[in-house]
Every structure is written in C-alpha cells, then in structure tokens.
Amino acid sequence: MTSIDPTSNSAATRPIHIIGGGLAGSEAAWQIVRRGVPVVLHEMRPVRKTDAHQTDGLAELVCSNSFRSDDAEANAVGLLHAEMRMADSLIMAMGDKHQVPAGGALAVDREGFSAAVTAVLASHPLVTIERGEVAGLPPEDWDNVIVSTGPLTSAALAEAVRGLTGEDSLAFFDAIAPIVHFDSIDRDIAWFQSRYDKAGPGGTGADYLNCPMTEDEYHAFVDALIAGDKTEFKDWEAATPYFDGCLPIEIMAERGRETLRFGPMKPVGLTNPNNPTVKPYAVVQLRQDNALGTLFNMVGFQTKLKYGAQTAIFRMIPGLQNAEFARLGGLHRNTFLNSPKLLDPTLRLKAMPRLRFAGQITGCEGYVESASIGLLTGRFAAAERLGEAPSLPPPTTAMGALLRHITGGHIVADEGSTRSFQPMNVNFGLFPPIEVPKEPGKRLRGAEKTLAKKHALTARARADAAAWLAGGLREAAE
C-alpha cells in the first residue's frame, strides 16, 4: 500500500476518506481511485467487531449470498446490475468472477468474493486501509469524507450525526409497512376517499385507497394474521425497543379480535361508492407513497410476518387479491438517515457538506442497492475533488430512480407524523412512467402488457445510462 500524506494541498494527492469497508465503501473507493484520486479506507474490524460480521474482510456479505435477479430486461435489480457493470463496478466484477449456480439470480461465493474485493483494494497504489473505529465526527482536516457504515453504525458516530443534525439516526426497530404497485390494485373494489372527506394539508378529500371487508372476511383475515409464520428477532436485535409504539399488525390482532377495527382498519367516515347502502365491517387503507403516484403503502401494516405469509395473507384483502408488492413489511434494527431532509442531491450532509453518506445508511435496502449508492457517492466525491461538477444519473435509470427516492422522491409525512421516508429496494415503481409501445393489430393485456412495460422501462434505462456515462446526458447537481 502507498502511504498518503493527508496534509498535501494537491488535488491529485489529497485523499478522500471513507468510513466503512462494506459493499458501499468498497465500491466508492474503487470509483474514486479509478479517477486518480487517493483514498484512505477506514474499517473498524477487527479492532472493533460488530454483532453481525464474522471476518475482517472488506465487502463481507452478512446475510444472503444472493445479489438477486440478474435479468436486466424484466427485473429492476437485474437492470441495476447491468448499469453498474456499465459503470465499471468493482462489486459486480467480483460478483461475476465468484458466481455460484443460482438459476436466474446472481449468487456468489461469500469468502471468495470478499477476499477478492479486499485483495484488489489492498493492492491498489492509491488505497490506504486503516483499521480502527472512527468515533464521532471525522477530524476537521478531512475535507472530503464518505460515511458508509451501514445499518450497524457505531453508537459514537450515530450519536455525533444526531447531535449535528437534530435528527434521530433511527438505531432501533424500524417498522415498515408493505408497499403495493398502484396498477395492481383492483379499482372495481377499492375506492379513493379520505375519512369524512377531510382534505387535510395538501389533500383533496380523496387521498386514500380503501379496501372494504365484510365481517366474515375480517375474522378470516384476523385468524390468518395470528396463525401466520413470523420472523424471529436475532439475538443482537432482541433488546431493541419498538419505534414510537408501532406494533406489528399481527401483535395488534393478538390483543383482541376487534383491536384492528378500532385501529388502522376502522371503517368510520367512509362510504363505498360501489355499494353505498352497506357499511364495511372493516377497511384497509392505502396511501400514496411516492411523488410519481406509482406506489401506495398499506397504512398501519408494519409486520414481522415472513414474506411468504405476508403475500398470501394480504392478498386476502378485497382489492388486493392480485397485488404486486414493491416492498414487503418488516420490523428490524436499522440505522438510517432521514435522507430527503438531511442530504443534498449528491448525498452531502446539508449541515456539514464535507460529509457524504453512502449505502444502507442513506435509506436503501439490499446488497446491490447499497453498492450502487456507494458507486454514485464515489463518483460525486471524486468529481468534487477534481474541481468538476458532479453529474446525476437520469431518473429514468435504476441508479437515478434509487437516488431520487433517497433524496426526495417520497411524500411528505402527515402533520404530526415523525417521517414518511423508509428504506426500499430498487423497483419499477420508483421509475418515471412510460407508455407501453403498441403493436398494430394487437392489444396487450394482463401479464403480457406488464412484461412489455418492463421491457420498455429497461430499454429506456439502459440507453439513458449509456448516454449519461458517456457524458452525453447530464443532469446538473444543483
């Protein structure tokens, strides 16, 4: 490794400091040194261990060994793979090199993958790896810093950021409600209406999609919630309290059969225009989740049900029988920023612009999503160091859509609510809508139309990503 003088004033030799050697930090380091800018990569392991990691290797995969679907034509994460390969991603290159059989998914040999990423960065002449915890805010003479410490950010650093911003870092159980693709909701059953037609701040009086239940449907639903398979807390999560009293929907159901009818499923103030003389026994409400209006979240439905159980049980709800989920619910220990409020479009902390954030701490979920945000942050930081204006990826691309979600594509929280922003995997609901190409004499329906729409979205994204990476399609990071 090359020793770097951090006091040098030359743009070519002053390093960018990266805190955290996970997927995002490793990818950010690679993107920076590929542009001739040195990096000091700070990784606290093995000096200080975490509750989840087993080794001191960079880019260690702590859960699954899967990068999920590699289908770049009909899957959003597969599209993200393709865009990252186009952008010379280290994580994707080493993932491809250490691939193991997994059907249409990209799965990797954990140990070989981590060892390869570590070897590439440790042997690079512009990379210095320093082992040890960065406790609190980085020293003031670190003028260009990327924080990529993930969901297990050390308490000292999380507390320092909280003190600087006045925002909680959310290092506790984070309650996540499922999110449904709007075009998969049966509008012949569900209707738009706010309770008592109340408009509220910025509302219209028809701000919720309502799914009605009969008494029999409600009790069958409650039975299924109580009996459904639940995910157990990990040992290191067990002592962390629930956030703001957000109880899982199944725990509320266990507290009494009518609890949900007097909670998130109360039917008051609503009239079903499809059957106005019959009052629903219970109602499930969905609320717009993103500015594009393509995603709706199930209000009050945070859950610890396993994914398979969620899909089966939530499709028991009238109107959601064919629901496609952009994200399923969850409840887990997490550390992430209220990024739309705290970060600028290039992921700099508004309260201290010398700090950028990358990876899962910014509010994305998934290995590849975290690495992609590391890729972008590395490119932004390197451009800044070299005196260039950072260029944002177009929102029509997978990377651009994910970046927009993190930095401002959400709906502002209701008055009195803590937040509306939640972590998410990349999905087509984050992309600007597109018209499905029409073929003369042919009318697409159902699954065929859905597939055609995905193909149109991915074709547009790959073309725009190629133009952006070639410098021909740029969006200023104002």
Side-chain angles (χ1 to χ4, degrees):
M1 292 182 294
T2 301
S3 177
I4 297 170
D5 178 9
T7 63
S8 172
N9 289 320
S10 170
T13 57
R14 284 163 53 208
I16 295 172
H17 292 264
I18 301 175
I19 305 173
L23 292 164
S26 298
E27 184 65 56
W30 175 251
Q31 294 292 324
I32 292 167
V33 299
R34 292 287 287 170
R35 286 156 183 77
V37 178
V39 162
V40 180
L41 181 58
H42 303 265
E43 172 52 56
M44 69 180 184
R45 294 173 294 123
V47 177
R48 179 164 181 172
K49 297 181 179 180
T50 76
D51 293 315
H53 292 85
Q54 302 298 316
T55 76
D56 62 0
L58 302 178
E60 179 185 339
L61 307 181
V62 298
C63 297
S64 167
N65 72 327
S66 175
F67 287 1
R68 312 196 317 281
S69 174
D70 203 37
D71 181 357
E73 293 188 351
N75 187 284
V77 73
L79 173 63
L80 187 58
H81 290 179
E83 291 181 11
M84 291 175 67
R85 291 183 179 113
M86 293 165 64
D88 187 32
S89 163
L90 174 65
I91 294 302
M92 290 307 303
M94 295 302 101
D96 290 337
K97 186 175 181 180
H98 293 275
Q99 183 175 4
V100 297
L106 174 60
V108 305
D109 176 324
R110 295 170 188 266
E111 293 183 3
F113 169 77
S114 175
V117 173
T118 303
V120 168
L121 292 177
S123 63
H124 198 285
L126 292 178
V127 176
T128 297
I129 300 174
E130 292 191 356
R131 300 285 182 169
E133 180 182 4
V134 177
L137 293 176
E140 291 186 5
D141 60 344
W142 296 7
D143 66 333
N144 195 328
V145 181
I146 296 173
V147 180
S148 56
T149 46
L152 299 177
T153 297
S154 70
L157 182 55
E159 185 61 34
V161 172
R162 181 163 49 244
L164 181 66
T165 63
E167 291 284 327
D168 282 342
S169 294
L170 305 189
F172 39 65
F173 278 126
D174 181 38
I176 299 174
I179 290 181
V180 180
H181 288 280
F182 173 71
D183 59 10
S184 71
I185 300 169
D186 188 341
R187 295 291 309 283
D188 289 333
I189 296 175
W191 76 94
F192 274 106
Q193 185 186 7
S194 302
R195 284 196 173 93
Y196 303 107
D197 301 308
K198 183 177 180 181
T204 65
D207 302 315
Y208 292 81
L209 264 175
N210 300 278
C211 299
M213 279 188 176
T214 65
E215 183 173 0
D216 288 344
E217 288 169 338
Y218 173 78
H219 287 297
F221 182 70
V222 169
D223 289 339
L225 286 175
I226 294 172
D229 289 339
K230 282 86 174 174
T231 301
E232 299 297 326
F233 291 133
K234 299 179 178 67
D235 290 342
W236 51 271
E237 292 179 317
T240 309
Y242 292 122
F243 169 48
D244 282 357
C246 288
L247 291 174
I249 192 79
E250 63 273 9
I251 289 181
M252 284 190 275
E254 291 171 354
R255 293 188 172 184
R257 298 196 65 82
E258 299 295 294
T259 301
L260 294 176
R261 289 189 64 239
F262 290 89
M265 295 177 65
K266 57 182 177 286
V268 299
L270 298 167
T271 300
N272 183 355
N274 302 313
N275 195 1
T277 62
V278 177
K279 188 172 183 63
Y281 190 76
V283 171
V284 174
Q285 290 196 307
L286 296 96
R287 179 175 54 210
Q288 186 175 336
D289 194 79
N290 67 338
L292 294 173
T294 54
L295 301 174
F296 276 67
N297 71 72
M298 299 174 65
V299 178
F301 268 65
Q302 56 272 3
T303 181
K304 201 65 173 167
L305 289 168
K306 291 184 178 179
Y307 284 173
Q310 287 187 48
T311 301
I313 294 170
F314 295 153
R315 284 180 179 159
M316 294 172 64
I317 299 169
L320 301 186
Q321 64 271 16
N322 298 313
E324 295 296 330
F325 295 93
R327 182 190 69 194
L328 288 164
L331 194 68
H332 56 94
R333 183 180 184 270
N334 201 357
T335 302
F336 70 95
L337 297 170
N338 187 0
S339 294
K341 180 176 181 179
L342 300 181
L343 303 183
D344 75 6
T346 67
L347 300 164
R348 293 185 304 179
L349 190 67
K350 294 175 184 177
M352 186 176 282
R354 69 186 177 95
L355 303 185
R356 272 188 172 86
F357 286 80
Q360 203 164 341
I361 195 171
T362 64
C364 60
E365 291 277 10
Y367 290 148
V368 182
E369 289 89 338
S370 295
S372 72
I373 297 303
L375 184 154
L376 292 176
T377 310
R379 293 174 69 94
F380 296 157
E384 183 177 284
R385 173 62 88 219
L386 295 172
E388 302 169 359
S391 173
L392 305 185
T396 51
T397 65
M399 285 192 282
L402 191 59
L403 180 64
R404 282 291 182 90
H405 166 69
I406 290 169
T407 60
H410 70 309
I411 296 294
V412 177
D414 292 338
E415 187 176 0
S417 177
T418 303
R419 65 190 302 118
S420 62
F421 176 67
Q422 292 285 355
M424 188 179 292
N425 295 108
V426 67
N427 66 83
F428 287 124
L430 301 180
F431 290 63
I434 192 170
E435 289 293 325
V436 178
K438 295 181 179 180
E439 298 181 27
K442 185 177 182 181
R443 185 176 181 181
L444 298 176
R445 298 177 183 273
E448 192 177 19
K449 182 177 180 180
T450 298
L451 184 59
K453 181 179 179 181
K454 290 177 179 179
H455 286 168
L457 285 167
T458 56
R460 179 182 68 180
R462 290 196 301 273
D464 288 355
W468 169 64
L469 290 167
L473 186 61
R474 301 174 62 87
E475 182 177 354
E478 296 296 339

